[in-house]
Amino acid sequence: MAEGPRLRALSVPRHTCKHSSACCSSYSVGPLLPDDVVRVEQALEAVREAFPDQNIDEPFTERDYHGATTSFLTKRDGYCTFWRDGTGCTIHSAAGAAEKPLVCQMFPVQIVSTDQGLRLGTRPTCLGDETGWDDGPAVDGAFIERIVGDSRGWVVRDEPDGEGIALQLLSVPDIDTDSIMAFLAGTDRESPPPIEAWLEERLQQLHLEFDKIGDQGPLHSGTSTADVLADFRTWHADRGDEAGSWPEVVPEVLPWVRDAMKRLVFLRQTRLHPTIPWSLVAYVAAARYASAWASAGGSLDRRKLGRGFSTWLIVMENPRLQRTLVEAGPPFAGSEGR
Ligand code: SF4
């Protein structure tokens, strides 16, 4: 590889696509690069030939993006216009993976340009990632070389306050979410702040907010994220006496949760939250919601845990839902600013 900025990763990036469809429905597809637009336009004929009934008449939607009019792929019924039930991506199927927009080719691999060089990793916000980053196949080296060499695919993020401490905290062997909360609250491990009531109240507010948002963004009915949330809500409504109890994440998956949180901090995904403590509180909430839901019935369903955790991460990155969390106030004194 040509001499370039320093590149760091927490481990070999691994991923395997399990066709959850969350990436093609939960996110806006863009902003597109000028050559993404050219490639997609060139692929239209192959897609039309292979899938004559696919509605791709207006494949691009112009939107304001940081003050500039920018192209995104059009979404229909919550999904990218190129998504097809049973097939997946029709560009991928009819023209090949390399013809998709760069952002689609990369997901969930991310390159973050930081003041300390480039960081490379797999985001835990893929619904198929319950094991993928541990034991999935390594991402192809030639592909990594190509995306590392193309600065247009980098996300630029500056250093949030407290990043070094958060990374150290998440590297402590055997640390659990109670200890993380205790650290954020400035108490000791034996007396972590009780956040069950806070979680329950926030959850009720988020449920109301989902209803107001309706069929937008990650919550559009029929998408993988909406399916997970619908199942979660049904389970939550049936909890009866257990309502308000969000036990610690089951021990066998704590290392996995810790690894996911570390990846999120390393890739500066915390930048999507007001402060690092807020992001850690959100991640702990996501882990506890997902763990309690996936353990219903007595034993842990690992696949449910992965899908639940990823879904809650996606939900908590939604600006509107995040505002609900932030405006409601911190779970304990000091957690908003540490
Ligand atoms: S172009 Fe293909 S991979 Fe990209 S969002 Fe659309 S359906 Fe998914």
Side-chain angles (χ1 to χ4, degrees):
M1 191 184 296
E3 198 63 27
R6 195 162 90 99
L7 179 66
R8 288 181 59 214
L10 289 176
S11 58
V12 173
R14 298 182 179 280
H15 177 61
T16 179
C17 176
K18 296 180 184 167
H19 303 279
S20 74
S21 80
C23 55
C24 305
S25 59
S26 297
Y27 296 97
S28 301
V29 191
L32 301 177
L33 303 169
D35 55 353
D36 287 334
V37 174
V38 172
R39 274 200 322 283
V40 170
E41 278 173 338
Q42 286 170 348
L44 290 176
E45 198 179 324
V47 174
R48 283 202 181 98
E49 207 168 290
F51 306 100
D53 59 341
Q54 186 79 16
N55 183 355
I56 52 169
D57 286 347
E58 286 173 16
F60 305 110
T61 299
E62 304 299 317
R63 280 177 29 194
D64 180 76
Y65 184 72
H66 294 307
T69 304
T70 310
S71 296
F72 286 71
L73 288 188
T74 298
K75 293 184 92 177
R76 297 182 205 281
D77 296 330
Y79 283 81
C80 168
T81 192
F82 290 101
W83 172 265
R84 186 180 179 88
D85 250 356
T87 300
C89 176
T90 52
I91 299 180
H92 191 134
S93 172
E99 305 313 312
K100 296 190 294 189
L102 185 62
V103 66
C104 303
Q105 294 180 48
M106 288 178 66
F107 188 86
V109 175
Q110 189 160 50
I111 312 259
V112 184
S113 173
T114 77
D115 35 313
Q116 299 152 10
L118 293 183
R119 293 182 178 182
L120 164 72
T122 313
R123 283 165 57 184
T125 39
C126 167
L127 260 64
D129 246 352
E130 72 274 8
T131 56
W133 72 66
D134 284 333
D135 58 12
V139 178
D140 179 67
F143 176 71
I144 289 181
E145 190 164 339
R146 178 159 77 81
I147 58 176
V148 166
D150 188 344
S151 61
R152 296 169 312 165
W154 302 352
V155 180
V156 181
R157 288 186 177 143
D158 56 3
E159 184 172 349
D161 286 345
E163 176 185 272
I165 295 172
L167 281 171
Q168 276 177 26
L169 180 70
L170 294 169
S171 300
V172 173
D174 304 327
I175 195 161
D176 54 19
T177 66
D178 265 353
S179 302
I180 294 169
M181 288 293 110
F183 174 82
L184 294 175
T187 62
D188 57 47
R189 169 67 187 82
E190 275 58 53
S191 45
I195 63 165
E196 282 72 19
W198 181 89
L199 281 182
E200 187 67 25
E201 201 180 318
R202 296 300 91 81
L203 189 64
Q204 300 296 352
Q205 286 168 332
L206 285 174
H207 281 171
L208 290 176
E209 205 66 22
F210 298 162
D211 294 336
K212 275 194 243 154
I213 288 177
D215 267 1
Q216 292 173 28
L219 306 177
H220 196 288
S221 54
T223 60
S224 329
T225 31
D227 283 350
V228 169
L229 287 173
D231 193 8
F232 178 88
R233 287 180 74 164
T234 304
W235 164 78
H236 182 252
D238 290 344
R239 287 185 84 204
D241 289 349
E242 286 186 7
S245 153
W246 300 99
E248 172 60 288
V249 177
V250 290
E252 72 189 88
V253 290
L254 265 175
W256 180 87
V257 168
R258 207 165 42 234
D259 184 28
M261 291 173 72
K262 200 168 167 189
R263 284 164 190 275
L264 289 158
V265 174
F266 181 76
L267 293 174
R268 296 198 171 162
Q269 210 67 7
T270 54
R271 267 292 178 213
L272 305 179
H273 298 260
T275 63
I276 287 242
W278 266 116
S279 64
L280 294 184
V281 169
Y283 301 158
V284 167
R288 290 196 176 178
Y289 290 157
S291 179
W293 174 64
S295 301
S299 62
L300 176 78
D301 179 335
R302 180 83 195 242
R303 182 163 179 270
K304 261 178 99 172
L305 172 83
R307 290 172 77 85
F309 185 59
S310 305
T311 295
W312 280 110
L313 292 179
I314 292 171
V315 164
M316 287 168 175
E317 285 178 6
N318 179 290
R320 178 167 173 164
L321 297 176
Q322 197 190 94
R323 216 167 29 245
T324 301
L325 283 176
V326 172
E327 283 171 0
F332 38 78
S335 61
E336 74 276 53
R338 274 180 61 127

